[in-house]
Amino acid sequence: MNNVSHIPSYLSAEHLGPWETYLVQIDRVEPHLAAELRPLAPILTRPKRALIVNVPIRLDNGEIAHFEGYRVQHNLARGPGKGGIRYHPDVTLAEVMALSAWMTVKNAVVNVPFGGAKGGIRVDPKVLSMPELERLTRRYASEINILLGQDKDIPAPDINTNEQVMAWIMDTFSMNEGKTAMGVVTGKPVSLGGSLGRKDATGRGVFVATVEAARRMSLDIAGARVAVQGFGNVGEAAARLFADAGAKVVALQDGSGSIRNPGGLDVRAAKAWRQHNGSLIGAPGSEPIAPEAFWGIDADVMVAAAMENQITAANAGLIRARLLTEGANGPTTPEADLILQDNGVTVIPDVLANAGGVTVSYFEWVQDISAFFWTEDEINARLDRIMREAFAAVWDAATAKGVPLRTAAFVLGCERVLQAHAQRGLYP
Ligand code: NAD
């Protein structure tokens, strides 16, 4: 069905690039698609369009530096493109293509009316001054301007981009259009049309999805032992919500180290300690553990909320938890996925588990275009409902088809996208 045949057989799934990994996922999903939609499936195996742009900027020292940027719209069948913008030295077209495709699936899984898109610049933003970063952002925004618009393509923050970068993109687009266009990006400052509740949204979605799974597995979250990898935007919020719900956060791991307390860590104290000391190590009531001991910790729930490719064939077999929730994008390699499946570990896949962020981005866009803003309680209640409904749809599909949650989520998302194509018909 798709183009995976060009992947050399000597490449193990551990060494696939992100786009090939996505193609493998589509390949695994294809046999489960409704028969009438299968002929349309090749649409998913390439982007609708991809734009490569040169981004020259004048550095503070007067020299000119050139960077390569991308904006990929993987699929627009269900609505405008939606997906973040990443600034990182490792950004490639293939990576942005994969991330845009996962956005297509994710947006369809939570049934928000968006297609999938993603953008990025191959740059190390940490070596740029603020004025250089602003010039980089404004030139990039101008170069991809032809794709953007509240009804065309709506960027958001991703790695190394934040609400300030979104404010610059909104302003650049608005200047080019001759009007203030708040709905063209999400993840903006609240004072510029950003949404309340956005900061915790992804962690909150991770928590809600986990609670929904646990309930169906007769696992009580109150008293459950939870270990969280990644203690940033996603992991910290998730850990805090688990602790507030009575779970024992028995281990935390971030780039600075790993800590545990079988009786439960104080998540807020750990955050304050890390803020003051730059490391989790030494947090009150914790003992340090070796990073490689993290995945084998005695826990009921593991949350992977750091980065991609963390759970591999080398460590998947160590996991003793019943449930693994993917807060990060792509934390489990395809090989590790099969090991977890064999060992009976239920995996809540990224395209479902971390969709809380894009869901509140959708709320931000709705609030911007209606110029009517909601309370944080309203936002959280709507987020919880969307996550619960999406979880139920994926769980029920997995049960009905006898497949893992990842396959079920991909089938659900891909079928919604292909259904939209089928209903719209083939142009011309
Ligand atoms: P972040 O930068 O705020 O936090 C990342 C955390 O991971 C940090 O605590 C860092 O120390 C830790 N970390 C990095 N490398 C590590 C390693 N090798 N081992 C252990 N810990 C490590 O990022 P974030 O916004 O929390 O995003 C985390 C993941 O969630 C990413 O994969 C991101 O794409 C995904 N995600 C984020 C959002 C969002 O709204 N922020 C939405 C969807 C998906």
Side-chain angles (χ1 to χ4, degrees):
M1 184 279 298
N2 63 32
N3 297 334
V4 292
S5 56
H6 71 273
I7 298 170
S9 55
Y10 58 82
L11 264 186
S12 89
E14 295 292 323
H15 299 106
L16 297 182
W19 180 247
E20 286 81 11
T21 297
Y22 165 74
L23 291 179
V24 170
Q25 289 168 339
I26 292 296
D27 209 33
R28 285 182 185 170
V29 159
E30 198 262 348
H32 301 286
L33 294 175
E36 69 277 13
L37 296 176
R38 254 177 251 158
L40 294 172
I43 291 172
L44 299 170
T45 65
R46 53 186 72 90
K48 178 176 176 65
R49 56 174 76 98
L51 184 62
I52 305 176
V53 295
N54 181 39
V55 189
I57 61 161
R58 197 172 297 284
L59 300 174
D60 294 342
N61 66 9
E63 288 174 12
I64 295 175
H66 295 263
F67 301 95
E68 188 161 296
Y70 313 96
R71 184 73 188 173
V72 177
Q73 295 176 336
H74 175 258
N75 193 285
L76 304 181
R78 300 181 69 258
K82 187 92 195 80
I85 288 173
R86 177 173 292 195
Y87 291 173
H88 195 276
D90 297 338
V91 164
T92 61
L93 178 60
E95 180 188 62
V96 178
M97 282 165 59
L99 292 166
S100 70
W102 285 317
M103 288 307 299
T104 299
V105 179
K106 189 182 302 185
N107 292 336
V109 167
V110 281
N111 215 1
V112 293
F114 290 135
K118 200 86 182 190
I121 306 179
R122 186 157 56 249
V123 59
D124 181 0
K126 297 192 175 82
V127 304
L128 298 182
S129 68
M130 276 295 267
E132 289 169 341
L133 196 61
E134 179 172 355
R135 291 197 286 277
L136 179 87
T137 301
R138 288 186 181 278
R139 181 62 189 251
Y140 169 70
S142 293
E143 294 294 343
I144 65 166
N145 192 75
I146 49 170
L147 296 184
L148 302 187
Q150 69 175 28
D151 51 0
K152 291 167 70 181
D153 189 346
I154 306 134
D158 193 68
I159 294 173
N160 292 328
T161 57
N162 55 22
E163 60 178 33
Q164 175 60 76
V165 172
M166 295 306 113
W168 288 328
I169 294 175
M170 189 274 265
D171 183 69
T172 305
F173 181 84
S174 297
M175 288 297 150
N176 279 313
E177 298 289 307
K179 62 180 182 190
T180 294
M182 280 187 171
V184 69
V185 284
T186 60
K188 300 181 296 295
V190 171
S191 56
L192 285 178
S195 181
L196 297 171
R198 175 65 186 89
K199 194 168 173 357
D200 277 2
T202 306
R204 192 177 177 88
V206 164
F207 169 72
V208 173
T210 309
V211 170
E212 289 300 300
R215 193 162 54 78
R216 288 165 172 82
M217 295 164 67
S218 303
L219 174 65
D220 195 354
I221 281 296
R225 298 159 304 162
V226 181
V228 182
Q229 187 202 38
F231 199 51
N233 183 19
V234 180
E236 186 276 326
R240 177 166 30 86
L241 289 163
F242 279 115
D244 289 351
K248 284 188 195 137
V249 178
V250 291
L252 289 170
Q253 177 178 76
D254 75 355
S256 71
S258 313
I259 56 172
R260 73 161 191 172
N261 180 342
L265 293 157
D266 181 336
V267 175
R268 286 179 177 82
K271 183 183 178 189
W273 177 270
R274 202 219 23 215
Q275 259 163 1
H276 283 108
N277 300 284
S279 169
L280 278 175
I281 304 297
S286 76
E287 56 171 310
I289 54 169
E292 57 275 16
F294 177 81
W295 294 109
I297 206 101
D298 228 347
D300 304 301
V301 178
M302 304 297 291
V303 177
M307 54 191 294
E308 62 277 4
N309 293 336
Q310 291 302 294
I311 303 153
T312 65
N315 59 21
L318 303 175
I319 293 181
R320 287 188 269 174
R322 292 172 64 194
L323 195 51
L324 168 71
T325 308
E326 295 186 333
N329 284 316
T332 311
T333 66
E335 277 185 2
D337 220 11
L338 297 177
I339 295 170
L340 294 171
Q341 212 173 303
D342 283 350
N343 291 349
V345 181
T346 299
V347 178
I348 311 180
D350 47 8
V351 290
L352 171 63
N354 71 31
V358 77
T359 301
V360 173
S361 276
Y362 163 56
F363 297 161
E364 178 175 338
W365 177 78
V366 170
Q367 292 171 85
D368 286 339
I369 58 183
S370 61
F372 180 74
F373 291 87
W374 312 341
T375 65
E376 190 158 356
D377 283 349
E378 284 172 311
I379 286 158
N380 287 342
R382 288 177 205 254
L383 170 60
D384 290 3
R385 182 175 60 77
I386 287 187
M387 288 302 302
R388 282 199 302 267
E389 286 176 3
F391 187 89
V394 171
W395 183 275
D396 292 348
T399 309
K401 292 180 194 294
V403 296
L405 293 176
R406 190 187 312 282
T407 307
F410 266 73
V411 170
L412 182 73
C414 293
E415 284 192 342
R416 281 183 176 152
V417 174
L418 297 176
Q419 192 67 46
H421 279 286
Q423 286 164 336
R424 288 175 63 152
L426 198 60
Y427 175 86

